[in-house]
DNA sequence: CGTTATTGCGCAATGT
DNA sequence: CACATTGCGCAATAAC
C-alpha cells in the first residue's frame, strides 16, 4: 500500500556515476541539469583485440566493456530488466500468498477429516457395543427387543 | 551466518550526485577497482528556516535536508539499515520456506487421515453387513454359526 | 524524536 | 540474445 508513483524521475547509479532520468519513457535521455549536475563516464575500455582488424570475434574471453550509461542500448536493457525484475518479484509474492492460502485450505480440510473420523469412530464404537451386548444376550440365550432397529437408526441406514 | 564484514566499496548517490567511498580494500569482483578517484562533495543545503533564530521548531513542515552522503552519521544509518534489510529479507524468505513445508506436512497428514477414514468406513460397512445378515437370520428364525467371532476377527477386537 | 522493520525500486551478476 | 532470479544498496515509510 505504498505507491511511490510520485516522482517521475529515476535516479540510477552505481559504479560511481549517477544519472537522473525522467520516467516519461520514450526519451531515454538523461537530463541532470536540474540538480547539481555531475556525470562520470566510465573509462578504462580495454581495446578489443579481435575487432581491431574489423573481423570476427572468436571465443573472446573479454572482460567487461564498462557499459556506457549513456547508451541507448544500455538504457533499453536496463528498463527491460527492471520490468522483468518487477514481474519476477510479483510472481514470487503471489506464489507466497498462494502457498499461505493453501495452508489454510489444507488446515480446513484437515479439520473436516478429523471430524469425520471422530464420527465414524463413534459409530463403530456403538456398533461394536451392540454386537457385544448381542453376543452376551445370545450367550444368555436371551432375545432383546429391537437392537437392530436401534442400530439402523444410529447409522442412518 | 550473516555478518559479512562489508568487504568493498560503497557508492552512494541520489539526487544527482554520487560518491564513491572506499571502506576497506580489495574489491573482488567489482569493477570499480580501476575507476579513477571520483569524489563529489555537492552540497546544496537549503538554509534551515527554523534554526535561523536558533530557537524552537514548531510544526516545521520542513522539506528534506538532502542527507550528506559524506556524513559519518549518514553512513552509519545506511549501514544499519542495510543490515536491517538483510535481516528482514532473510526472515521473509525463511517464513516462505516454513510455509511451504507446512503445506507438505499438512498434505501428508491429510493423506493419513483419508486412509484412516477409508479404513473406518470399511469396518463400518462390514459391521453393518453383518448386522443386516444377522437381522435376516433372526427374521428367518435361523441361528448362523459364528457371526460374532467373524466380526471380532475383522475388527481386531 | 530516534531506531528498527518492511517495502518498492534500480543495478548488476548470474541462471535459464 | 532475451528473459528470469537473486543479492545488494538506497530511500520512503511503517512500526515500535
Amino acid at each position: 500500500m505504498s505507491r511511490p508513483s510520485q516522482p517521475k524521475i529515476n535516479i540510477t547509479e552505481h559504479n560511481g556515476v549517477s544519472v537522473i532520468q525522467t520516467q516519461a519513457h520514450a526519451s531515454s535521455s538523461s537530463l541532470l541539469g536540474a540538480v547539481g549536475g555531475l556525470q562520470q563516464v566510465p573509462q578504462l575500455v580495454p581495446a578489443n583485440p579481435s575487432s581491431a582488424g574489423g573481423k570476427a570475434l572468436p571465443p573472446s574471453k573479454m572482460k567487461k566493456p564498462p557499459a556506457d550509461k549513456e547508451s541507448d542500448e544500455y538504457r533499453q536493457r536496463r528498463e527491460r530488466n527492471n520490468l522483468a525484475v518487477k514481474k519476477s518479484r510479483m510472481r514470487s509474492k503471489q506464489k507466497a500468498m498462494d502457498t499461505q492460502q493453501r495452508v489454510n485450505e489444507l488446515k480446513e480440510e484437515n479439520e473436516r477429516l478429523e471430524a469425520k473420523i471422530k464420527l465414524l469412530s463413534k459409530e463403530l464404537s456403538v456398533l461394536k457395543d451392540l454386537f457385544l451386548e448381542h453376543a452376551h444376550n445370545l450367550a444368555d440365550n436371551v432375545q432383546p427387543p429391537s437392537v437392530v432397529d436401534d442400530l439402523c437408526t444410529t447409522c442412518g441406514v
Side-chain angles (χ1 to χ4, degrees), chain A residues 17-139:
Chain A
V17 204
S18 64
V19 171
I20 312 186
Q21 77 181 105
T22 63
Q23 181 72 71
H25 89 303
S27 59
S28 50
S29 43
S30 44
L31 28 149
L32 17 157
V35 199
L38 159 66
Q39 26 179 320
Q40 257 307 308
V41 238
Q43 40 185 264
L44 180 75
V45 180
N48 189 328
S50 355
S51 61
K55 252 317 173 55
L57 23 162
S60 69
K61 251 62 172 137
M62 267 272 275
K63 274 306 178 205
K64 285 191 179 244
D68 341 2
K69 317 290 201 193
E70 312 301 292
S71 167
D72 208 11
E73 225 312 277
Y74 171 75
R75 276 321 315 166
Q76 242 165 29
R77 263 187 311 109
R78 283 305 328 140
E79 195 134 346
R80 272 210 299 275
N81 179 245
N82 288 342
L83 209 68
V85 166
K86 247 190 277 192
K87 204 162 89 185
S88 180
R89 282 170 182 161
M90 218 177 73
R91 275 219 225 82
S92 181
K93 228 167 273 186
Q94 184 61 53
K95 208 183 70 182
M97 289 176 73
D98 288 357
T99 306
Q100 183 56 58
Q101 177 158 352
R102 185 99 178 82
V103 165
N104 295 337
E105 290 172 359
L106 284 173
K107 264 163 133 179
E108 239 175 84
E109 176 82 350
N110 249 12
E111 263 171 56
R112 207 174 57 72
L113 294 180
E114 297 263 27
K116 185 158 185 176
I117 284 177
K118 202 164 177 179
L119 178 64
L120 289 178
S121 295
K122 182 111 184 180
E123 278 186 28
L124 255 185
S125 153
V126 170
L127 266 188
K128 287 183 185 174
D129 283 356
L130 283 179
F131 251 113
L132 286 183
E133 189 184 329
H134 193 213
H136 289 160
N137 289 342
L138 282 181

Side-chain angles (χ1 to χ4, degrees), chain A residues 4-21:
Chain A
S5 36
Q6 186 96 95
K8 269 238 249 50
I9 321 173
N10 260 322
I11 310 97
T12 50
E13 81 319 308
H14 192 167
N15 275 345
V17 204
S18 64
V19 171
I20 312 186
Q21 77 181 105

